[in-house]
Amino acid sequence: MSDWEPKIVSFLCNWCSYGAADLAGVGRMQYPSNIRVIRIPCTGRMDPKFALTALREGADAVWVSG
Amino acid sequence: MTLVKIDKKNWAEGLTAAADAYRLYGPVKEKDYHQFKALEKGEMPDFDMVNTRLSPKALLFPQSEEMLEFSLDESRDDHHIMKAVATDDTPRAVVGIRPCDAKSTLLVKLNFDTPDVKDPYWLNAYHATTFIGMACDTPLSTCFCTTAGCGPYHEEGLDMLVMDQGDAYLAKLLTDKGKAFAAAAGWSETADDPAVFDAGRKAAEGRIVSTVKTDNLADTDLLELHGAPFWDDIAFSCINCGTCTFSCPTCWCFDIQDEVHGKSGVRMKNWDSCMFPIFTVHTTGHNPRDTKTQRVRQRFMHKLKYFVDKYEAGIMCVGCGRCVRQCPVNIDIRRLCEQMNSFKPADACAAQG
Amino acid sequence: MELMGVEPDRLHFSWISSAESTKFVNVVKEVTEKVKAIGPNNHFIKDTAKVA
Amino acid sequence: MLGYTEKIKEIAGRLLKECTVDMVIGFRKGTMPMMNEPCFATTPEAVDTLWWDSNCGINLANYLTNRKEKVAVIAKGCDSRNIVTHIIENKIKRDQVYIVGVPCTGMIDKRKITGMVKGEIIAVSETEDTIKIKTADAETLFDKTEVLQQNCALCIHRNPVIFDEMVADAVQEQTDVDRYADIQKIETMGTEEKWQFFDDLLSPCIRCYACRNACPLCYCPTCFVDEAKPQWMGKGQDPLDVRTFHFLRAYHCAGRCTDCGACERACPVGINMRLLTRKLEMDCQEQFGWEAGLSLDQRPAMDVYQANDPEAFIK
C-alpha cells in the first residue's frame, strides 16, 4: 500500500482547465504526477459513460474540470 | 428398462454417494424463484416447484461462455494465437429436470449436432451429462406440453425418470447412463409395476388444461403464412425485449464477442435474441429485419413453421409455458399458434382485396 | 454513484479559468490527496470477464 | 375504474367513426390473470376488444414514438406525463395525439399477489376497492391498497396532467406519502454495504433489456449497450457489466422518469431497478424542484441552466 500512487483520469476543458494546465507547465509549476489528462472540447462533452469507462479500466478517480 | 424403488430415506444418501462420481445440478430456490444450480456438497434439489424460472438450457449452453483465449503481448511466443479454454467435461448429472426441458435438449441438439457442423462446447457438455427427470404431477394452467410433442411423463431426452409416490420414489432407468447413475447412488431395489407409471402419466396428462393445434402448420404455404394479415396485430404490443427467447428452453441463438483486458483477451459466446434490433444488422448498416413486426414474425415462424418444415420433428416448442407466463405484454404463443394453424391463404387474399 | 457504493471522493468537479494556473496546481494537489486518502478503486474495475 | 371500459369503447368508437384519429391505442384483456395486452384499433368495430382494469400497468406512451398517423391513446397519470416528455423532446406533435385521460387509482402488483397466495392463481376479479384472487382450492380477498404496485402506492399524480377528454371525473390525489423512504435508507449504508446491496439486487439480471424496452423514455435508435465502437461495456454476464448497464440506463432517465413502474413490472426476474431511477428523481426534486412531465411549457431541469442551480460540488 505504501508505494501505491493513485491514477486520476482528468477530463479538462480545452478552453479553461486545459489552458490552466498549459500555463502551469509554461510557469514551471510543480504538481503531483498522478493525473492523466484527457482534453475535451468543452465540459459539455463530458458523459457519465466516460467516467464509468475510466473507472472500469482501472482509474482510481475521475476529475472533471471546466 | 428397469424399474427401481427408492425409499425417500435413501434418497439424500444416494445423491450424496453419487456426488463422488458426478457433479450434481438441480433446482434450488434463490430469492423468489427456482433456478438450476450446481449443488453444494450435501445440498439437495428442491422439488417444491412447478418449474424453474429460466430453463435449464444454460447447463449445456451457458448465457456467457468463454470459448477461446489469446494474448496480445508480443513478447510471448504464442501471441495472437487462439487457444481453447479448458472446460470441465467430467460426468455430471442434472437431478430433477422436467420432461419438457429434457425433450427440449433433443430439439436443440438438432441444431448443435448436424452432419456438417458439430458444436464441441455444447456436445461435450451434453455427452457428459446424465438427465434425471422428475415427472410433473402439478402442471400449471399455462402448460401445453401434451399437444407440443411432449408430456408430463415424457421420456425422450431423459436417462432416468423419477416419479413421486409419497414415501418413495419410483425410477425408470431408461438408458445405460441412467443405470450407471442408479448404481453410483446405490439404488438397487427393483420394482416391477410399470402400471403405476401409466396411471401417474394418465392422471398428470388429465391435469393439462391448455392445448395447441399444430396439424395444419406443415401444409400451410410458407410464403402465404409469411404474408398473413395478423402479424401487425400480434407484434404491436411487443417491446422487443428478449424475455421469451432467454427463458425458452429451445431458443439456441448466440452471438460471439471478443473481450480484451490489457493484453489478454477471450472470445466468448453470449445468448442473443431475434427480438433485439441489432440481431440482424449487417456490417453495411443495413438491417433486413428492421421492424418489430418482422422480428416477431421471425420468432414465431421459426418455431412453428421453418423448424417444422426443415426437421420434420414437430414444432420447436415443448409447451413449458415460460414465455406465456413471463412476457411483460402478454404475447401468448398458444393464441398465435392457433392463428397460424387455422390460417387459410384465402383469408390473405380477402384481406388484400 | 454514491448510492451504489462508489466513494464520493472518486469523482471531482472543478472550474478553473485558463489564466488560473495556481488554482490548477492547488486543485491537482487537493484531488490527489483526497484520492490517496480513500485508497485504490477496488470495485469498479473490470479485469477479465466473469461468466456465470 | 370498472366503468371505464364502456366509456373507453364509446370514445374510441366515436373518434374512429368521425375520423378524428386513424388509430386508438389501448389495452385488451389478456390471456392470463393479471395480464393485459396493449393493442390498437383502427376500425370502429375493433374497439370492442378494448378493456380497462387494474392490470394496465404497461406505459402506453411507449407505443407513440415515430408514429406518422394521428393516434388516440388511453393515458393514466404517469402515461400522460410521459406523453408530455415525448412532446417536449419532439418525439410526437401535440396535435398528432388525442389523449383520452384515465383517472387512475393504481395498478395491482402481479408479483406481490403471486407471493401472497399459495398455489397457482386461476382467476382474478376486482371491485372498486378489493381484489379477489381465486386459486384451485381457495379464494382470497385483498384490499386493493394492500396489493398495489409500489410506484402506484407512492403515486402523487394519478390524474392525467394533459388530456383532450377524460373518461371519468378526476380522482383524489394522494398526499402525505413518503416517496423516498427506501432510498434514504440505502443512503445511510456504508460504502461496502451499498456495493453489496446492489450486487445482490442486480444478481438475477439476465440482460434481456425488458426494463429498457418497456420504458417510454428509451427510444434511441442505437442504445449505448448495443454500441460497438467504442463498446462501453461487455455483453456477458459479468456483474460489473450488468451494473454499468443499470447505472447508465438510470442516468439516461434522470429528470425524465415519471416512476410509471413499467421497467419493474416488465422485469422477468423481479429486480427493483426503480431504486436507481428514483434516486435521480429525488435529487432532481431536491436540487432543482423539478418533476418530470408536468407541463408542456417548462424546459426540463437537465436541459436548462439557471443562475441558482446548486454548484456546491464544484470546487
Side-chain angles (χ1 to χ4, degrees):
Chain A
M1 259 315 262
S2 58
D3 56 354
W4 169 76
E5 285 287 334
K7 282 196 285 286
I8 302 168
V9 174
S10 316
F11 294 91
L12 305 185
C13 163
N14 181 34
W15 308 105
C16 306
S17 298
Y18 194 84
D22 200 20
L23 192 61
V26 170
R28 307 245 180 250
M29 300 171 92
Q30 297 281 325
Y31 58 85
S33 58
N34 301 77
I35 62 167
R36 310 287 187 272
V37 177
I38 294 171
R39 179 168 64 161
I40 48 178
C42 165
T43 332
R45 179 68 184 90
M46 195 53 202
D47 188 310
K49 284 188 281 218
F50 299 169
L52 283 196
T53 305
L55 291 175
R56 288 167 54 95
E57 299 289 331
D60 295 302
V62 173
W63 171 36
V64 183
S65 189
Chain B
M1 194 265 297
T2 324
L3 276 184
V4 177
K5 195 175 172 108
I6 309 159
D7 197 299
K8 281 201 179 165
K9 281 180 287 190
N10 300 334
W11 173 252
E13 204 178 288
L15 286 186
T16 312
D20 291 339
Y22 294 87
R23 292 173 291 140
L24 295 185
Y25 291 80
V28 183
K29 191 161 187 177
E30 277 199 339
K31 293 196 174 171
D32 294 336
Y33 307 111
H34 279 85
Q35 213 60 276
F36 275 94
K37 282 273 149 79
L39 300 174
E40 310 278 330
K41 200 160 178 56
E43 191 183 9
M44 289 297 123
D46 176 10
F47 297 127
D48 184 20
M49 58 146 196
V50 176
N51 212 341
T52 48
R53 191 77 177 159
L54 296 178
S55 82
K57 75 171 168 185
L59 297 176
L60 304 179
F61 173 35
Q63 177 159 12
S64 295
E65 183 177 25
E66 285 176 18
M67 304 160 72
L68 303 163
E69 57 191 5
F70 51 88
S71 169
L72 303 179
D73 180 357
E74 298 202 359
S75 68
R76 286 173 54 160
D77 289 340
D78 60 352
H79 68 87
H80 291 87
I81 295 175
M82 295 274 189
K83 289 189 291 192
V85 169
T87 53
D88 186 354
D89 295 322
T90 55
R92 58 178 189 170
V94 190
V95 184
I97 189 171
R98 289 294 183 200
C100 51
D101 292 334
K103 161 87 193 249
S104 74
T105 314
L106 297 184
L107 299 184
V108 176
K109 190 165 183 281
L110 289 172
N111 179 57
F112 285 135
D113 183 14
T114 69
D116 307 324
V117 185
K118 301 199 185 296
D119 182 317
Y121 301 92
W122 192 90
L123 277 173
N124 289 345
Y126 175 75
H127 289 307
T129 309
T130 303
F131 296 93
I132 306 192
M134 181 55 81
C136 179
D137 291 317
T138 51
L140 290 170
S141 61
T142 41
C143 293
F144 53 101
C145 50
T146 47
T147 43
C150 190
Y153 276 62
H154 202 75
E155 293 167 6
E156 267 183 289
L158 285 173
D159 297 304
M160 184 195 292
L161 176 65
V162 181
M163 83 176 272
D164 192 333
Q165 285 197 295
D167 51 358
Y169 290 116
L170 196 60
K172 220 186 226 187
L173 310 185
L174 301 161
T175 64
D176 290 341
K177 268 183 175 178
K179 284 182 192 144
F181 187 85
W187 296 327
S188 52
E189 186 192 337
T190 51
D192 49 332
D193 197 4
V196 178
F197 260 97
D198 273 346
R201 179 174 56 81
K202 286 214 180 73
E205 281 175 2
R207 288 186 203 109
I208 304 269
V209 292
S210 198
T211 57
V212 290
K213 278 212 192 74
T214 55
D215 51 336
N216 284 330
L217 290 172
D219 297 331
T220 312
D221 183 77
L222 192 147
L223 288 176
E224 299 274 14
L225 194 56
H226 191 265
F230 48 69
W231 292 114
D232 271 332
D233 181 59
I234 285 162
F236 175 78
S237 64
C238 180
I239 56 173
N240 272 178
C241 70
T243 305
C244 49
T245 50
F246 283 9
S247 63
C248 178
T250 64
C251 272
W252 60 51
C253 289
F254 61 85
D255 178 35
I256 295 180
Q257 289 273 329
D258 284 359
E259 278 197 13
V260 179
H261 306 276
K263 288 196 164 165
S264 64
V266 291
R267 176 162 294 183
M268 61 201 296
K269 62 177 183 183
N270 297 307
W271 288 353
D272 206 346
S273 168
C274 52
M275 293 290 110
F276 296 161
I278 61 164
F279 185 70
T280 44
V281 175
H282 294 178
T283 323
T284 56
H286 171 64
N287 190 351
R289 264 182 239 140
D290 207 16
T291 68
K292 184 161 82 173
T293 304
Q294 289 170 327
R295 294 190 283 271
V296 172
R297 175 171 60 198
Q298 162 64 23
R299 174 169 154 83
F300 291 107
M301 284 293 274
H302 186 199
K303 289 213 172 302
L304 305 175
K305 180 63 184 167
Y306 308 146
F307 184 88
V308 174
D309 290 355
K310 182 170 177 186
Y311 295 107
E312 297 178 351
I315 55 174
M316 186 183 157
C317 170
V318 289
C320 71
R322 285 187 179 91
C323 56
V324 181
R325 291 192 289 277
Q326 292 177 31
C327 176
V329 293
N330 196 224
I331 293 177
D332 191 327
I333 193 172
R334 295 172 297 175
R335 182 166 63 186
L336 196 77
C337 190
E338 177 63 37
Q339 268 174 302
M340 285 174 70
N341 193 56
S342 59
F343 173 69
K344 301 271 183 307
D347 296 353
C349 299
Q352 278 165 9
Chain C
M1 302 261 282
E2 200 184 334
L3 183 79
M4 286 204 321
V6 175
E7 299 87 343
D9 276 345
R10 286 214 193 280
L11 197 53
H12 293 263
F13 295 90
S14 63
W15 186 20
I16 304 167
S17 140
S18 59
E20 297 177 309
S21 58
T22 321
K23 180 173 177 189
F24 176 82
V25 172
N26 290 338
V27 174
V28 175
K29 284 180 181 160
E30 188 188 333
V31 169
T32 312
E33 281 314 308
K34 284 202 168 151
V35 179
K36 276 186 177 169
I38 53 171
N41 166 20
N42 295 325
H43 285 315
F44 229 112
I45 294 189
K46 181 162 174 182
D47 292 333
T48 41
K50 289 187 195 71
V51 290
Chain D
M1 299 196 288
L2 295 171
Y4 292 0
T5 301
E6 286 311 313
K7 185 77 182 164
I8 287 171
K9 283 183 193 172
E10 182 209 311
I11 296 172
R14 174 167 39 88
L15 293 174
L16 287 168
K17 204 174 294 162
E18 292 171 357
C19 294
T20 319
V21 296
D22 306 314
M23 172 193 252
V24 178
I25 296 179
F27 281 93
R28 64 180 167 210
K29 192 150 179 49
T31 57
M32 305 250 302
M34 298 184 284
M35 280 302 279
N36 286 334
E37 181 183 352
C39 71
F40 67 92
T42 46
T43 60
E45 295 75 46
V47 302
D48 275 342
T49 54
L50 292 177
W51 182 261
W52 194 271
D53 60 21
S54 299
N55 302 300
C56 298
I58 292 294
N59 192 327
L60 292 182
N62 198 20
Y63 296 92
L64 290 179
T65 50
N66 304 328
R67 293 227 167 263
K68 302 279 175 287
E69 60 274 70
K70 202 163 179 226
V71 286
V73 59
I74 319 292
K76 309 182 285 287
C78 48
D79 301 9
S80 76
R81 291 171 63 198
N82 280 110
I83 295 170
V84 169
T85 305
H86 277 332
I87 295 168
I88 290 178
E89 292 175 1
N90 294 323
K91 292 312 288 182
I92 194 159
K93 289 193 223 41
R94 177 64 187 97
D95 54 8
Q96 190 193 345
V97 47
Y98 188 97
I99 303 167
V100 181
V102 172
C104 174
T105 54
M107 293 295 148
I108 59 176
D109 188 335
K110 181 181 173 196
R111 211 167 273 128
K112 191 171 180 184
I113 292 177
T114 313
M116 284 161 90
V117 297
K118 208 166 158 42
E120 193 193 5
I121 293 165
I122 302 196
V124 173
S125 55
E126 61 176 276
T127 67
E128 223 38 67
D129 326 300
T130 60
I131 305 289
K132 195 197 286 174
I133 310 291
K134 203 164 156 243
T135 58
D137 13 67
E139 263 188 13
T140 324
L141 197 66
F142 292 108
D143 268 351
K144 188 170 163 183
T145 48
E146 292 176 74
V147 293
L148 283 181
Q149 288 182 186
Q150 193 209 14
N151 66 307
C152 298
L154 298 176
C155 177
I156 49 171
H157 295 284
R158 293 180 144 181
N159 294 299
V161 296
I162 173 178
F163 55 85
D164 294 290
E165 186 168 352
M166 291 283 276
V167 300
D169 293 335
V171 293
Q172 177 85 39
E173 290 291 0
Q174 306 192 105
T175 49
D176 209 27
V177 282
D178 184 1
R179 283 184 56 71
Y180 304 114
D182 47 352
I183 311 259
Q184 280 150 353
K185 194 168 144 233
I186 300 174
E187 287 186 332
T188 61
M189 294 180 184
T191 301
E192 279 303 313
E193 202 184 343
K194 282 175 182 167
W195 191 269
Q196 276 304 321
F197 177 86
F198 281 97
D199 256 359
D200 189 49
L201 179 84
L202 301 176
S203 65
C205 179
I206 53 170
R207 294 186 80 174
C208 65
Y209 306 135
C211 48
R212 174 192 75 186
N213 293 9
C215 179
L217 302 172
C218 284
Y219 53 67
C220 292
T222 306
C223 176
F224 65 91
V225 290
D226 295 334
E227 282 177 346
K229 260 187 175 181
Q231 191 176 49
W232 299 106
M233 71 203 69
K235 297 270 200 172
Q237 285 299 98
D238 188 281
L240 189 62
D241 289 331
V242 173
R243 183 182 287 242
T244 308
F245 161 65
H246 281 283
F247 179 79
L248 284 176
R249 189 193 76 84
Y251 246 94
H252 286 184
C253 304
R256 305 165 70 217
C257 176
T258 60
D259 200 27
C260 71
C263 47
E264 191 181 353
R265 188 184 171 91
C267 179
V269 290
I271 296 172
N272 180 5
M273 66 288 282
R274 286 174 41 250
L275 285 174
L276 294 170
T277 45
R278 273 165 65 239
K279 157 72 178 159
L280 294 163
E281 192 190 310
M282 179 176 92
D283 286 355
C284 275
Q285 170 86 275
E286 281 173 2
Q287 312 215 349
F288 308 104
W290 166 257
E291 277 185 276
L294 292 185
S295 154
L296 284 175
D297 311 319
Q298 219 183 340
R299 292 306 301 173
M302 289 294 139
D303 85 29
V304 285
Y305 168 75
Q306 280 169 339
N308 61 353
D309 280 348
E311 52 179 29
F313 68 99
I314 301 174
K315 282 192 202 66

